[in-house]
Amino acid sequence: MEIRQLEYFREIAATGSINEAARRLNMSQPPLSYQMKQLETELNVRLFERNRTGVTLTKAGKLLYERAESLLTFVRSTEQEVAKAGRKEVLRIGITPTTVSTVMPCISAFSRQNPDVNFEVRDAITFTLFNYLMEDIIDVSVVRTPINLGNVEFMEMGQEPMIAVFPPDKAPEGERLSLERLAEIPLILYRRYEKFIMDAFSQRGLEPDIFCICDDPRDAMLWVEEGLAAAVFPRSMSGMCGGLTIKTLGEKELETKILLIWKKGSRPSGLLKKFLDVCGEVLGSARRER
């Protein structure tokens, strides 16, 4: 199985059409079809079901498509790292959209102390970054609990409460909100934190009114703006809540931790160790100033 075959396969899967994939790849259709037949022969499986409107992935094709993205990402990362070998070291770091402000003081301090180091940054959700770490696509990542920490070492960078976000004219009074009061309000939950939040309600014997569960916090904000329900998020997402009213949830069990994680079972590289040392110094100094 060749890298170019994976690239061809991914393009066909993404477009659902061999003809369209050939056009995007700037090649003719027959050699592209031949490469896919060769790939299917080598793997001894059918990757596509062909029909009049294009192609659809088989079960085996869907599995290969999931793996192909990680493999091709790893190849690109390796190419970049090798190309820079002998010139500058590269620290590969993952960051979730809501943890940038937490890790930036560490990155800034590290960069000033190590001006010959470049960065390769991957922005994604916690679970995607965890997989990148396990597959050695990145060296270290900033993530947020809840997450399984069995296969990683970690450093705690901070913690923060959850917030409830309301339309301006529908927010209850007071700066803080209890779970008991929240259970009386129609809620939108970000799927990433669904179990985490529902467990907190369950521990208090409460049954919340779940109006909607969604995969994208930006969608949730639109629903809140329409006055349909309130949304619950970590406080660092408050920057997305322009024009809305924010109430802090005071329960300790709803606090999330921001962690710096790296793979367990192998000694950190010299570059990663330098970064971890700087992070420890920056975080220690920040805690002393509080």
Side-chain angles (χ1 to χ4, degrees):
M1 184 166 56
E2 299 177 4
I3 297 301
R4 64 170 180 167
Q5 289 177 318
L6 282 179
E7 292 174 336
Y8 294 165
F9 167 77
R10 182 182 60 176
E11 197 65 41
I12 294 172
T15 61
S17 166
I18 294 178
N19 288 333
E20 176 61 18
R23 186 186 69 80
R24 294 189 182 188
L25 292 166
N26 196 29
M27 62 189 296
S28 60
Q29 183 267 331
L32 182 56
S33 295
Y34 174 76
Q35 288 293 334
M36 291 303 96
K37 287 179 181 178
Q38 289 289 97
L39 184 58
E40 288 180 321
T41 299
E42 181 181 348
L43 297 174
N44 196 29
V45 293
R46 289 177 61 85
L47 298 173
F48 304 102
E49 294 291 348
R50 295 162 176 82
N51 52 57
R52 287 181 298 176
T53 59
V55 296
T56 57
L57 293 177
T58 63
K59 184 177 180 180
K62 291 177 181 178
L63 178 60
L64 181 60
Y65 185 64
E66 292 174 1
R67 297 289 190 273
E69 183 59 35
S70 292
L71 289 170
L72 292 172
T73 297
F74 182 72
V75 169
R76 289 193 299 271
S77 175
T78 302
E79 288 173 344
Q80 293 173 6
E81 194 169 355
V82 170
K84 292 178 179 178
R87 290 182 290 168
K88 286 193 175 184
E89 293 183 282
V90 178
L91 181 67
R92 303 171 302 170
I93 183 170
I95 305 175
T96 68
T98 63
T99 59
V100 177
S101 59
T102 301
V103 73
M104 278 311 299
C106 297
I107 292 176
S108 179
F110 176 79
S111 183
R112 286 195 298 270
Q113 294 179 30
N114 301 273
D116 291 332
V117 174
N118 286 340
F119 295 87
E120 181 182 327
V121 178
R122 297 198 177 274
D123 297 296
I125 62 174
T126 286
F127 296 125
T128 299
L129 294 175
F130 182 88
N131 290 334
Y132 283 168
L133 188 67
M134 293 299 102
E135 295 166 2
D136 295 317
I137 292 173
I138 57 177
D139 306 307
V140 63
S141 185
V142 189
V143 298
R144 185 190 297 277
T145 59
I147 184 175
N148 186 341
L149 299 172
N151 295 317
V152 298
E153 305 285 354
F154 65 91
M155 178 187 302
E156 185 174 329
M157 305 191 77
Q159 59 186 50
E160 62 182 19
M162 303 292 279
I163 58 173
V165 184
F166 297 85
D169 58 341
K170 294 189 177 181
E173 295 184 357
E175 292 185 7
R176 289 182 172 264
L177 201 61
S178 68
L179 279 178
E180 286 75 13
R181 179 70 181 92
L182 196 63
E184 303 170 356
I185 300 168
L187 297 177
I188 302 167
L189 300 185
Y190 181 23
R191 197 181 306 275
R192 162 77 171 93
Y193 300 103
E194 177 189 358
K195 185 178 185 304
F196 179 61
I197 295 170
M198 293 301 291
D199 284 349
F201 278 115
S202 179
Q203 289 170 11
R204 300 195 176 203
L206 300 172
E207 293 187 11
D209 180 3
I210 306 303
F211 179 74
C212 173
I213 297 173
C214 66
D215 291 313
D216 192 324
R218 292 166 296 187
D219 292 341
M221 293 305 174
L222 294 175
W223 290 54
V224 175
E225 289 174 1
E226 290 295 323
L228 298 174
V232 180
F233 299 113
R235 186 174 59 188
S236 55
M237 291 189 179
S238 59
M240 303 169 56
C241 305
L244 302 174
T245 300
I246 297 171
K247 302 290 182 179
T248 300
L249 302 177
E251 282 76 3
K252 294 291 291 184
E253 62 264 38
L254 280 180
E255 289 188 347
T256 62
K257 293 182 179 180
I258 299 172
L259 307 176
L260 191 67
I261 63 172
W262 59 98
K263 199 170 180 180
K264 181 183 287 186
S266 60
R267 174 177 291 185
S269 67
L271 183 61
L272 177 55
K273 188 175 185 309
K274 287 181 183 178
F275 181 69
L276 296 176
D277 288 344
V278 170
C279 289
E281 293 170 4
V282 171
L283 295 171
S285 176
R287 290 179 184 126
R288 287 192 294 272
E289 292 175 0
R290 292 189 189 127

